[in-house]
Amino acid sequence: MIDTDMWPLVHAERAALAADLADLTGEQWTTQSLCTELTVREVLAHLTAGATLTPVRWLAGVIRCRFDFEKQVAMRLAEHMGASPAETLDRFREVGTNTTTPLMPTVAMLGEVIVHGEDIRRPLAIHRDYPIETLTQVAEYYRGTNLPVLTKGRIGGLRLAAIDGPFTTGSGPLVSGTTVALIMAMA
């Protein structure tokens, strides 16, 4: 697939996540996500921010925050939280079909929505049956990059093999699991 063909996959994953979160209770929105310092609601706002950033807007934020990337993430998260969980979800729905990216390939944006979707879903015991072709593309991308996460070093010296699809990589001690589990381990 060429990069532009990835956008429908990104849009589908955003829509699926929004649908999964439609009926959350107020308490569920405050659940700690797998991102150790963020709630489910905050991770969703982070995904919204990522879907609105152009390279110029991202760079302007980095400069404004004096190259403190954590400060920039916090600033962008605050911009997209909204006054209530319902507003946070509405804002995410509004950017569901955006095709902007802050200096990353579209497949990285797909990885972001899958990984952060799992960061949200797992603590809430929400299961998603992802298309294996979509997961395989993200796994293939992650195995050869350090953007946006440092995956190459994390999996160096290991052989990864999916038990539910065609993804395999590396050599060394075997690590096997579902493709989404391997993606989460790489991320």
Side-chain angles (χ1 to χ4, degrees), residues 103-117:
L103 295 173
M104 359 177 169
T106 308
V107 67
M109 295 299 288
L110 179 60
E112 284 282 290
V113 74
I114 289 172
V115 169
H116 285 315

Side-chain angles (χ1 to χ4, degrees), residues 29-76:
W29 282 108
T30 63
T31 300
Q32 171 129 9
S33 73
L34 294 184
C35 295
T36 56
E37 298 185 16
L38 300 178
T39 65
V40 162
R41 182 176 169 206
E42 290 167 331
V43 174
L44 190 66
H46 171 72
L47 281 171
T48 303
T52 64
L53 287 177
T54 63
V56 171
R57 192 158 183 259
W58 177 82
L59 184 58
V62 167
I63 292 168
R64 188 164 118 200
C65 293
R66 300 175 192 240
F67 294 89
D68 182 336
F69 294 98
E70 288 184 27
K71 184 176 179 181
Q72 185 198 10
V73 167
M75 176 187 73
R76 297 295 182 205

Side-chain angles (χ1 to χ4, degrees), residues 129-138 162 164-167 178-180:
D129 285 321
Y130 297 92
I132 196 63
E133 300 81 14
T134 300
L135 293 176
T136 301
Q137 290 180 70
V138 171
D164 61 347
F167 177 72
T178 63
T179 308
V180 73

